[in-house]
Structures are given as structure tokens and as C-alpha cells.
């Protein structure tokens, strides 16, 4: 994602900067990343995100090696959800 010029905020809430809970996460393209439930309520385009998808997004974003990225297998449900969100 970063190599394509899109680097969403995944380490904290993209709206308020607070630590994210382990569940109940949302993603907002307009806010540029993951949101906590309180901030999602105030954002029109916030979509719920499964914990597995959020974890995979973090893993993919943190990987700098293109060969290592190519070896990562996305579970179908995670890939589908990532495509919907991004």
C-alpha cells in the first residue's frame, strides 16, 4: 500500500489518535485509516473491519520487502474485505 502511495493510519485511531480496541474497529477512507467505535459514529463512510483484516493490513503495511509481500497468502474473506475497504 505504501509503495502505491496510500498509507492509511493503522496504529491508532485516524480521527482522535487514541489507541485502538482489539475488536469493534472501523475503516474510513476519508479519515485515512482505522477508527475506534466512538469516532466511527461521527464519520459518514466508516465501515466495520474484522480483527483479522485489520491485523493483515498492519502486517502488509509494515512489510518493506516485495518478495516477502508476494509470499503472504490472504485468506479469501480477508482479501475480499480489504478490497471492499480500500
Amino acid at each position: 500500500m505504501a509503495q502505491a502511495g496510500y498509507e492509511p493510519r493503522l496504529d491508532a485511531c485516524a480521527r482522535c489518535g487514541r489507541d485502538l480496541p482489539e475488536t469493534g474497529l472501523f475503516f474510513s477512507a476519508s479519515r485515512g485509516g482505522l477508527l475506534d467505535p466512538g469516532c466511527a459514529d461521527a464519520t459518514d463512510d466508516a465501515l466495520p473491519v474484522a480483527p483479522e483484516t485489520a491485523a493483515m493490513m498492519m502486517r502488509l503495511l509494515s512489510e518493506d520487502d516485495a518478495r516477502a509481500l508476494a509470499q503472504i497468502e490472504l485468506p479469501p474473506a480477508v482479501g475480499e474485505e480489504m478490497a471492499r475497504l480500500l
Side-chain angles (χ1 to χ4, degrees):
M1 290 184 286
Q3 291 176 355
Y6 185 61
E7 194 167 347
R9 181 150 193 205
L10 305 175
D11 62 334
C13 179
R15 183 168 184 258
C16 70
R18 290 186 294 232
D19 289 341
L20 293 166
E22 290 187 27
T23 60
L25 296 173
F26 292 82
F27 185 86
S28 167
S30 67
R31 293 287 181 176
L34 292 174
L35 302 174
D36 63 41
C39 289
D41 289 343
T43 305
D44 291 339
D45 68 339
L47 299 170
V49 179
E52 299 81 17
T53 301
M56 182 60 75
M57 290 170 67
M58 290 177 209
R59 180 178 175 198
L60 293 172
L61 190 61
S62 68
E63 183 57 65
D64 292 331
D65 183 357
R67 288 185 185 160
L69 278 172
Q71 298 300 316
I72 297 173
E73 291 190 35
L74 293 177
V78 170
E80 290 170 14
E81 185 171 38
M82 286 177 60
R84 180 178 56 88
L85 296 171
L86 302 173

